[in-house]
Amino acid sequence: MNGLVDLLLVMVLLTDLLVLGTSGLPTAIRIVATQGVLLGLLALVGAAADAGAPLHHWGMGLMGIAIKGVVFPLLMQRALREANVRREVEPLVGFSSSLLFGVGALVVALWVSSRLPVPHELRSPLLVPTAFTTLLVGLFVIVSRRKAFTQVLGYLVLENGVYAFGVALIGAEPLVVELGVLLDLLVAVFVFGITIFAINRAFESDDAELLATLKEPAP
């Protein structure tokens, strides 16, 4: 069972790198959706390995797969069609440099996780480094991409990192916290979708840098 956990975590790390090196937005949506499914499966594997796992441990995995792997991708695909954008063009940090950042983030995550106390023994030593790397990758995508749509995907990756930490601490965290994170994310996706649509209608573009042109009229 631990071998399966390690395999899922390695695949999550690969999706982090793919997000950093991908310019096509439809492909990026599929990658983020795959990452969400992998994390949901990770929670299910942990629940299956624990003979006395409560029902909400199973619910966390099933809801993760349904929301991250189905609901969010459908919402993002619809927003993508409305905004009529297909690629991330001229990011603030190039894709090759972004991949180097991903490798560096993993190294930092391994170093930090080796010094981070955990409340109980984890099923894999890669669990916390994977969660921390995913958090860093999500933050990096938010600040290094110009398209508001890609920044939303970065937010989803960041939340996947939070979810991965929840999987690591699933025995210590109550269900209300887990559901609260998912609910906050669902609301945020709707808000971001409305924002992207409004930006696209106003500027015929979803370049977030255009927001800097919004100024108070001169008196």
Side-chain angles (χ1 to χ4, degrees):
M1 190 68 73
N2 289 343
L4 179 57
V5 171
D6 290 337
L7 176 61
L8 290 172
L9 291 172
V10 170
M11 293 177 69
V12 171
L13 290 172
L14 288 176
T15 58
D16 286 334
L17 295 178
L18 288 174
V19 168
L20 292 173
T22 301
S23 62
L25 295 180
T27 302
I29 292 175
R30 289 191 290 269
I31 293 170
V32 174
T34 300
Q35 186 179 79
V37 171
L38 291 172
L39 290 171
L41 290 174
L42 189 65
L44 291 178
V45 170
D50 185 359
L55 186 60
H56 80 268
H57 287 193
W58 292 92
M60 183 178 180
L62 293 174
M63 289 186 62
I65 292 174
I67 295 177
K68 297 171 178 294
V70 179
V71 177
F72 290 162
L74 290 177
L75 292 174
M76 299 301 285
Q77 289 284 3
R78 181 175 179 180
L80 188 65
R81 290 193 298 269
E82 294 288 342
N84 194 28
V85 291
R86 306 299 295 176
R87 305 185 68 84
E88 173 69 40
V89 181
E90 296 182 357
L92 297 176
V93 179
F95 296 107
S96 298
S97 299
S98 297
L99 288 172
L100 290 176
F101 171 85
V103 174
L106 177 57
V107 173
V108 171
L110 289 169
W111 180 80
V112 171
S113 64
S114 66
R115 291 159 174 76
L116 188 67
V118 292
H120 56 82
E121 184 178 355
L122 302 178
R123 298 191 181 278
S124 171
L126 287 176
L127 190 49
V128 173
T130 300
F132 195 63
T133 301
T134 305
L135 273 171
L136 292 176
V137 168
L139 285 171
F140 181 80
V141 171
I142 292 173
V143 302
S144 67
R145 302 297 188 253
R146 297 178 185 271
K147 296 290 186 183
F149 195 94
T150 315
Q151 293 171 359
V152 173
L153 290 177
Y155 182 86
L156 295 178
V157 173
L158 185 151
E159 197 280 331
N160 282 343
V162 175
Y163 182 90
F165 271 116
V167 171
L169 304 175
I170 193 169
E173 295 297 323
L175 176 62
V176 65
V177 175
E178 298 154 7
L179 294 181
V181 171
L182 293 176
L183 180 60
D184 288 344
L185 181 61
L186 184 60
V187 173
V189 169
F190 277 116
V191 171
F192 275 123
I194 294 171
T195 302
I196 290 173
F197 181 70
I199 292 174
N200 189 66
R201 289 191 61 182
F203 297 101
E204 297 183 353
S205 170
D206 73 333
D207 191 332
E209 290 193 342
L210 291 177
L211 292 175
T213 64
L214 297 176
K215 299 179 180 179
E216 291 290 336

